[in-house]
Amino acid sequence: MPGNIRHWIGEHPRWTLVLITLVALVPFLNKPFNIDDPLFIWAARQIHAHPANPYGFDINWEGRQAPMWKITDNPPFASYYIAAASTVLGWSELALHFAFLLPAAAVTMGTFRLARYFCQSPMLAALAGLFTPAFLVSSTTVMSDVLMLALWVWAVVFWVEGADQNNLYKLLAAGCLAGLAEITKYFAVCLVPLLAAYSILLRLPLRKWAPFLLIPLASFWAYQFAMQHLYGLYPLFRTADFSFARKDDAHVPGLPFLIGLAFTGGCLAPALFLMPLLWKKWSAAFVAIGILIAGLMLLDPGLLNQYRYLQPAARAGVELQLALWAATGLSIVVLAVSELTVARDAKSVVLVLWMIGTFVFAVFLNWTVNGRSILPMAPALGMLIARRLERNSTGPFPIGKIAVCMAASAALAFYAAEADCLGAMAVRQNVRSIFAAYGQRFKQIHFQGHWGFQFYMSQSGAVPLDLKNDLLKSGDLIAIPANNTNVLLPGPGKAVLVEIYTEPGLPFLTTLNQSAGANFYASILGPLPFVFCQASPEVVAIYSLR
């Protein structure tokens, strides 16, 4: 690297991180909307028309028409952000993804600024959080996760700086950001005990910091009461009921925990590539654990029977990859807990609480394990990795070895984001192909399924099938995607298969394919966030009713 470039990076590390973040995400600006993106966009359109009533409309998301406030489990701040951005940039994929570059860059810059207080290698900490599949894949959506994380990280930054400098304005800013984070995603409620724990461990007088935590508490309950006034329910209680009602329960002892470890390891992959530097002599122990997990699954072929769409030919590959990432996830948990064996100051305890609290929520409390719920661990993991490597370095810091490991991690994270993007493009292209074939008749087509498929089908004029109210007649056409949910295939003899549309995704890796065992967004549909395999293409079948 030329000396002048190294000098510029050394003088401007924050802007270097911004440039790296943009370089990593700009290739995905035209990614089609997918998964729950439509819910946030539709709510944003409602906000344009009725700013004080974000969920006051009906949608057909689960096979029948229902009020939006019964469908969504997210607070509306991300939709307000989309609504504000769309007034300037428009509603296209390019425009909204461009708007979400800001919170992504804010996460990396905030991680760097916070890491200056927690370790001696803030650039390494920020890059380790950036080059994770959890962050790069989530940053290519327009959902609430990265926006919430940006508010979370900067709330912690201002709280730590405010406590360190006795700066009441920064504590005030932290309280306000925490309040916004809570009405972006409910998980941010955990910020209140986290920030309180940091202040208590520093033995700060209660009167100096406690009043500022009343801001997020007031913000959270004000939102609850507002929703109760508008729609007659408290969203937090409804979300909790939904989570416990649909909690992923495999009825196999230990399997949810195993899947939680695998999602943690896969979504936070730098821990795998840096394992020889992090653990040195102990790396062999995690390799042995991975082999043991693989052996146990091979001895019990029924362990993954809950995934009824998983192809038999893919099971062996899924089991081996599950073992690899579960061992990596275990190393991450051990890395967090072991931090307390070498340091028990406020910073160490807060990082451990940040990591373990997120892990417990993602694995045991959330309705399903997914990459989005693992995402908040990424900045804390980056700082723990930096602290561990600094302690392990008895001589010169191994910059070359770390650079090689981080390059491998970046390649995997980028490849996962590319796979997710191409999968979404395949869905959009299938809709375009159907529309091109049927032309004006397209508006007479009913369809099942949701996510991005529903968004583009509805945008083109097709009608989502209402399983409760629609009266179909002979000759009606129904489009049914294979790799989706909320679909009900016609019974035998009740429909004729007219045509099949297929579009391939990325070779050798998939983030969303039930037959391959991959679903970054819900472990109930796949035990891994991504799978290396030759995945089947996106398929849409057109049926004609008899």
Side-chain angles (χ1 to χ4, degrees), residues 333-351:
V333 174
V334 174
L335 175 66
V337 175
S338 66
E339 177 70 17
L340 296 180
T341 64
V342 293
R344 296 184 182 179
D345 57 2
K347 294 179 174 61
S348 294
V349 173
V350 163
L351 287 177

Side-chain angles (χ1 to χ4, degrees), residues 367-391:
W367 72 278
T368 185
V369 186
N370 55 44
R372 297 168 61 193
S373 56
I374 298 295
L375 171 65
M377 299 170 68
L381 176 66
M383 288 179 272
L384 285 174
I385 284 175
R387 288 166 72 96
R388 179 81 179 194
L389 291 175
E390 289 162 4
R391 293 193 194 104

Side-chain angles (χ1 to χ4, degrees), residues 258-333:
L258 182 64
I259 291 174
L261 288 177
F263 265 75
T264 301
C267 290
L268 304 175
L272 172 67
F273 297 104
L274 290 166
M275 189 177 291
L277 301 177
L278 289 170
W279 296 105
K280 295 185 177 180
K281 297 179 181 179
W282 293 101
S283 296
F286 293 108
V287 173
I289 290 171
I291 294 172
L292 176 62
I293 294 172
L296 291 174
M297 287 191 295
L298 291 173
L299 289 173
D300 185 1
L303 199 62
L304 297 178
N305 279 349
Q306 65 164 326
Y307 298 102
R308 63 183 185 275
Y309 295 111
L310 179 61
Q311 293 296 316
R315 290 180 68 94
V318 168
E319 289 170 346
L320 292 174
Q321 292 177 63
L322 185 64
L324 170 68
W325 295 120
T328 305
L330 181 62
S331 75
I332 291 172
V333 174

Side-chain angles (χ1 to χ4, degrees), residues 11 44 49 60 105 107 112 198 202 329 345-346 358 452:
E11 291 291 323
N60 181 344
V107 171
F112 175 84
Y198 183 77
L202 288 181
D345 57 2
T358 305

Side-chain angles (χ1 to χ4, degrees), residues 155-178 195 198-199 204-205 207-213 215-216:
V156 179
V157 167
F158 285 128
W159 193 265
V160 169
E161 292 183 354
D164 184 61
Q165 302 165 10
N166 194 24
N167 188 320
L168 300 184
Y169 293 106
K170 288 188 174 183
L171 292 175
L172 175 63
C176 293
L177 290 172
L195 300 180
Y198 183 77
S199 303
L204 298 177
R207 67 181 185 277
K208 288 191 174 182
W209 57 268
F212 298 105
L213 289 185
I215 298 172

Side-chain angles (χ1 to χ4, degrees), residues 246-270:
R246 295 191 61 182
K247 184 73 188 80
D248 186 13
D249 182 8
H251 303 292
V252 179
L255 185 58
F257 179 65
L258 182 64
I259 291 174
L261 288 177
F263 265 75
T264 301
C267 290
L268 304 175

